[in-house]
Amino acid sequence: MRALSSDDESPVDDARAPVVPDLAALLRRSATGDESAFAALYDATASRVYGLVVRVLRNPAQSEEVAQEVFLDIWRTASRFDPARGSALGWMLTIAHRRAVDRVRASEAADHRDHRYEVETHSPAYDSTAEVAAARLEAARVHRALGDLTEVQREAVTLAYLGGYTHTEVAALLDLPLGTAKTRIRDGLIRLRDSLGVTT
């Protein structure tokens, strides 16, 4: 054990816990045009934003591009962040998820344009058409039902079921205790089930 010097009251532990920045405060400062606050916000969250985007896109090059677009959106819209509606990180990850999904949709639209001739010249089987129509209707119902959730329930459910994160990962991403994250996901799923009229 290290001896204490005359100036010491207790041994000094060199392994200090990392300082966690106040993301909400950094967002507020970014909203006023504070570039140093935005740089600190970027440094604190870039890996999480990129991690979510790459899980949706599965393409590292596109994910880097989309992550940059996300931070541009955050810079432009930082004044819209409302801490009463959820955490700063949750707000940022929601923007990231929307951007990533938009990119997936844009890529799918480009693929559809590339194959339009084949699609237009080949009549799909009736069963295939019915299946696609049913899937689209179901997706629209789920999207509407997500709109009925509270902001905190929606961000937790979105990360868990659209982002593919485990409950533990959702808790870490939203800076929440695991029990709180599980409660938000469970309550959100119950509300979704009720909105969709699903019986157990």
Side-chain angles (χ1 to χ4, degrees), residues 3-49:
L4 300 179
S5 70
S6 59
D7 295 330
D8 286 337
E9 292 182 2
S10 61
V12 176
D13 184 358
D14 292 333
R16 298 179 186 272
V19 176
V20 179
D22 182 344
L23 301 182
L26 292 175
L27 271 174
R28 285 193 298 273
R29 287 170 52 199
S30 297
T32 67
D34 186 334
E35 293 182 9
S36 64
F38 185 72
L41 184 71
Y42 179 90
D43 290 342
T45 60
S47 62
R48 287 184 171 182
V49 167

Side-chain angles (χ1 to χ4, degrees), residues 128-151:
S128 172
T129 301
E131 186 177 320
V132 169
R136 287 181 179 166
L137 287 171
E138 188 62 22
R141 284 183 66 220
V142 171
H143 184 72
R144 282 193 301 273
L146 280 170
D148 292 336
L149 303 183
T150 66
E151 183 72 22

Side-chain angles (χ1 to χ4, degrees), residues 129-193:
T129 301
E131 186 177 320
V132 169
R136 287 181 179 166
L137 287 171
E138 188 62 22
R141 284 183 66 220
V142 171
H143 184 72
R144 282 193 301 273
L146 280 170
D148 292 336
L149 303 183
T150 66
E151 183 72 22
V152 294
Q153 288 171 344
R154 186 166 46 252
E155 70 183 7
V157 169
T158 297
L159 287 171
Y161 291 96
L162 299 180
Y165 287 94
T166 65
H167 290 183
T168 302
E169 289 170 332
V170 170
L173 287 168
L174 298 181
D175 294 325
L176 295 171
L178 179 57
T180 302
K182 286 182 175 180
T183 298
R184 288 185 183 179
I185 293 167
R186 184 198 66 223
D187 291 349
L189 290 176
I190 290 170
R191 198 161 177 178
L192 270 179
R193 182 195 65 198

Side-chain angles (χ1 to χ4, degrees), residues 103-114:
R103 177 59 66 92
V104 170
R105 289 177 179 155
S107 295
E108 289 174 350
D111 289 342
H112 288 315
R113 285 193 300 271
D114 291 343

